[in-house]
Amino acid sequence: MRLYNSLTKRVEEFIPIEEGRVSMYTCGPTVYHFAHIGNLRSYICEDVLEKLLRFSGLDVKRVMNITDVGHLSSDADTGEDKMLKGAKREHKTVMEIARYYTDAFFSDCAKLNIKTPDVVEPATHCIDEFIKVISSLIEKGYAYEAGGNIYFDTSKLKEYYVFHNFNEEDLEDGVREGVEKDENKKNKADFVLWFTKSKFDDQELKWDSPWGVGYPGWHIECSCISMKHLGERLDIHCGGIDNAFPHHTNEIAQSEAFLGHKWCNYWFHILHLNTNDGKMSKSKGEFLTVKLLEEKGYDALVYRFFCLLSHYRKSLVFSWENLDNAKTAYNKILARVAAIQGEPAGEVDKAMYDKLMKGFTDALDNDINTSNAITALYDVLKADTTPATKLALIDEFDKVLSLDITANAKKLASQQGADDELPAEVAELVAQRAAARKEKNFALADELRDKITALGYRIEETRQGTKVTKL
Ligand code: AMP
Ligand code: ZN
């Protein structure tokens, strides 16, 4: 399997550290508000990657944090803690906000068929681990105290800007606004590991530490939670492209300084979902959520399908028109599969199965080309082979695509069956006509037939009995 690695900026053969096993870490949500559908694009793409690895026979262990402390309004360690902002907005405690939006996040994920990672760990559960790693970084000379906070000293590294050679498009997406100057920092790029002094004294969650009562910086949580559950060497680290700098850059700096060796081999970054008027943002008032899509009549899986139609390394523009096109295409696939399900299945044709399966795996093994994988699905639908072959392939493809194709096609067919049922008025006239015929009252039977025709239905006598169809 070939995968683009942001660290080397090349598409590379993916080789896990331990044969047959993959350790995978995902930056989880900051749970101060609903996830927007841009956030969820990242989680959908990561879900496809995880499922593809499993599909290839690898044993994956995936870990995700929940950011419930330390993520400030600007990624450059300034501004108010986002969680506190959320709590103030809703007049609740930080923990109430965290619980509510964590549940909302996993409910959105369930609707989008995003598998819950094997381990989900909130940052607030790991304070001891953070203190241990920060203490070690101070001991090793990689961190210093200034103005009450503990900072990582980036000048101690041979190379800090590991993702810096992004092409321009990536860099544009990778920068967040609102950087204020922090006079305590020895170097511009230094970042906070532990806060005891903040302009925002009302920070709700604080813990005792060797450096005073305070709270952790955002970046340290991902390093520590990953190491806690996945050990000293990590195969794949995922996240949206905005996280490459500073968040992932800082994760690498502190993890490798602590460990004394390379930490993570492959970095998987997803480009952003944008709207026509720019970046998607939670601070913009009403923003796009799964709930909003549902209110407007879209199934969450239509959004998943929409995301799969484009490559994760390209920015994607959201518009209702684009979503409508995805909805039409998704429903057409379901209708075609429903028709195939209704045909006599026959036997699986092994040679055709292998050929069509290869089209699918080739697409995904080439840096997760999901749009080509969807083309491989269309190839199956139009292939000259048995329904059994097609249905078996569709079930296999859906282990990675997770679009509920088989189940939703069946639902569609049963809905159509229900639509084909006669309206009560017509059914009553048909029953009366049958009774009239039984009594050999043909004049009444003809009269009733005319009434049925006037209501838009044709009635015929066939060898199987009376057949009523829509005109
Ligand atoms: P956050 O909840 O802000 O910590 O972000 C959760 C995930 O969503 C991270 O992996 C971000 O990099 C990612 N993300 C943020 N904005 C977007 C976007 N517009 N499109 C895709 N991914 C995004
Ligand atoms: Zn992270």
Side-chain angles (χ1 to χ4, degrees):
M1 174 180 163
R2 290 167 64 71
L3 199 59
Y4 181 81
N5 185 355
S6 307
L7 203 56
T8 58
K9 293 150 198 87
R10 277 199 310 267
V11 177
E12 295 174 352
E13 191 61 36
F14 172 68
I15 303 167
I17 297 160
E18 209 184 313
E19 208 184 322
R21 286 172 185 271
V22 183
S23 55
M24 185 172 173
Y25 184 83
T26 296
C27 287
T30 309
V31 283
Y32 71 112
H33 218 322
F34 292 108
H36 59 54
I37 60 170
N39 301 130
L40 292 163
R41 178 192 194 199
S42 284
Y43 295 110
I44 289 170
C45 295
E46 292 164 5
D47 183 66
V48 171
L49 169 62
E50 178 188 346
K51 286 176 178 162
L52 178 63
L53 292 165
R54 291 185 192 276
F55 193 72
S56 317
L58 295 163
D59 182 7
V60 182
K61 181 171 178 189
R62 182 161 172 214
V63 175
M64 184 169 91
N65 67 306
I66 297 288
T67 299
D68 53 1
V69 69
H71 194 174
L72 305 192
S73 301
S74 153
D75 289 359
D77 301 331
T78 57
E80 195 173 13
D81 189 314
K82 290 189 182 195
M83 294 301 301
L84 190 61
K85 236 173 136 173
K88 281 184 185 165
R89 184 187 66 233
E90 298 186 20
H91 310 289
K92 294 202 174 114
T93 65
V94 163
M95 277 297 113
E96 281 168 347
I97 289 287
R99 216 169 301 125
Y100 181 78
Y101 288 113
T102 302
D103 290 348
F105 173 73
F106 285 113
S107 149
D108 285 348
C109 286
K111 287 175 182 165
L112 290 161
N113 279 346
I114 297 170
K115 182 181 170 296
T116 303
D118 304 289
V119 177
V120 176
E121 179 94 76
T124 50
H125 290 194
C126 299
I127 303 298
D128 288 349
E129 275 90 357
F130 306 158
I131 291 177
K132 192 184 99 193
V133 172
I134 297 168
S135 302
S136 162
L137 288 172
I138 296 173
E139 249 167 59
K140 290 178 173 159
Y142 284 105
Y144 59 93
E145 189 167 354
N149 296 334
I150 307 295
Y151 293 85
F152 186 91
D153 187 347
T154 52
S155 70
K156 293 279 156 64
L157 301 175
K158 271 200 222 101
E159 191 192 6
Y160 167 67
Y161 290 105
V162 285
F163 295 116
H164 202 55
N165 268 343
F166 279 138
N167 64 42
E168 249 167 21
E169 190 201 11
D170 291 345
L171 252 190
E172 243 175 40
D173 281 329
V175 172
R176 283 196 186 178
E177 73 286 348
V179 182
E180 285 169 33
K181 206 165 171 232
D182 178 346
E183 301 295 344
N184 293 322
K185 292 184 182 182
K186 286 191 198 164
N187 313 287
K188 219 172 138 190
D190 292 356
F191 54 92
V192 179
L193 297 166
W194 188 268
F195 291 95
T196 68
K197 289 277 174 300
S198 155
K199 276 189 292 182
F200 300 94
D201 275 346
D202 48 355
Q203 177 78 17
E204 233 176 79
L205 300 176
K206 290 184 191 173
W207 294 265
D208 207 7
S209 82
W211 320 288
V213 175
Y215 60 99
W218 171 38
H219 316 295
I220 195 72
E221 70 177 79
C222 287
S223 291
C224 291
I225 293 173
S226 173
M227 287 191 263
K228 177 178 172 186
H229 297 286
L230 298 168
E232 289 192 1
R233 292 176 202 272
L234 179 63
D235 284 307
I236 308 176
H237 193 307
C238 317
I241 190 65
D242 59 315
N243 279 350
F245 183 81
H247 183 50
H248 294 161
T249 305
N250 293 349
E251 280 187 44
I252 294 174
Q254 65 205 1
S255 299
E256 299 193 349
F258 171 73
L259 293 167
H261 59 71
K262 186 169 179 183
W263 173 48
C264 175
N265 288 342
Y266 299 87
W267 287 82
F268 180 80
H269 285 124
I270 300 101
L271 269 283
H272 271 191
L273 178 82
N274 301 311
T275 49
N276 277 323
D277 57 352
K279 206 183 136 187
M280 197 149 300
S281 163
K282 294 183 201 180
S283 49
K284 272 188 182 170
E286 195 198 41
F287 57 91
L288 291 161
T289 57
V290 165
K291 190 163 160 266
L292 186 71
L293 298 193
E294 286 179 332
E295 280 165 11
K296 289 188 180 277
Y298 298 92
D299 188 305
L301 289 184
V302 165
Y303 178 64
R304 183 175 175 110
F305 181 69
F306 166 78
C307 289
L308 297 186
L309 290 172
S310 65
H311 195 250
Y312 75 92
R313 274 200 300 124
K314 292 209 173 100
S315 308
L316 177 58
V317 176
F318 177 83
S319 71
W320 294 107
E321 195 187 342
N322 292 346
L323 191 64
D324 277 336
N325 291 338
K327 183 177 177 175
T328 307
Y330 180 67
N331 286 338
K332 272 190 185 158
I333 290 174
L334 296 187
R336 286 173 74 172
V337 175
I340 296 167
Q341 284 167 339
E343 293 166 14
E347 301 281 312
V348 173
D349 175 342
K350 181 83 174 68
M352 275 304 269
Y353 180 95
D354 290 346
K355 184 174 161 238
L356 291 161
M357 178 58 84
K358 189 170 181 310
F360 180 73
T361 51
D362 281 355
L364 291 176
D365 287 349
N366 181 15
D367 195 22
I368 325 219
N369 195 324
T370 47
S371 69
N372 283 355
I374 300 289
T375 306
L377 173 64
Y378 284 116
D379 289 342
V380 168
L381 297 179
K382 59 180 191 244
D384 184 12
T385 187
T386 60
T389 313
K390 295 184 183 185
L391 296 173
L393 282 161
I394 290 163
D395 273 345
E396 282 302 294
F397 290 9
D398 220 25
K399 288 183 179 161
V400 180
L401 304 177
S402 290
L403 293 166
D404 286 356
I405 298 174
T406 303
N408 280 349
K410 278 190 184 144
K411 247 191 243 165
L412 185 77
S414 68
Q415 250 167 18
Q416 275 169 349
D419 290 346
D420 288 346
E421 275 171 24
L422 299 179
E425 191 185 359
V426 177
E428 176 58 30
L429 291 172
V430 172
Q432 285 176 17
R433 180 174 169 273
R437 276 168 61 89
K438 214 171 167 191
E439 288 163 14
K440 302 208 179 328
N441 186 346
F442 295 111
L444 179 60
D446 285 350
E447 211 179 287
L448 290 163
R449 171 201 291 269
D450 291 345
K451 281 191 182 161
I452 292 165
T453 312
L455 288 170
Y457 287 83
R458 176 190 300 123
I459 190 158
E460 330 163 63
E461 297 310 323
T462 70
R463 261 196 280 173
Q464 286 79 32
T466 307
K467 198 174 146 199
V468 188
T469 46
K470 226 169 168 182
L471 279 169

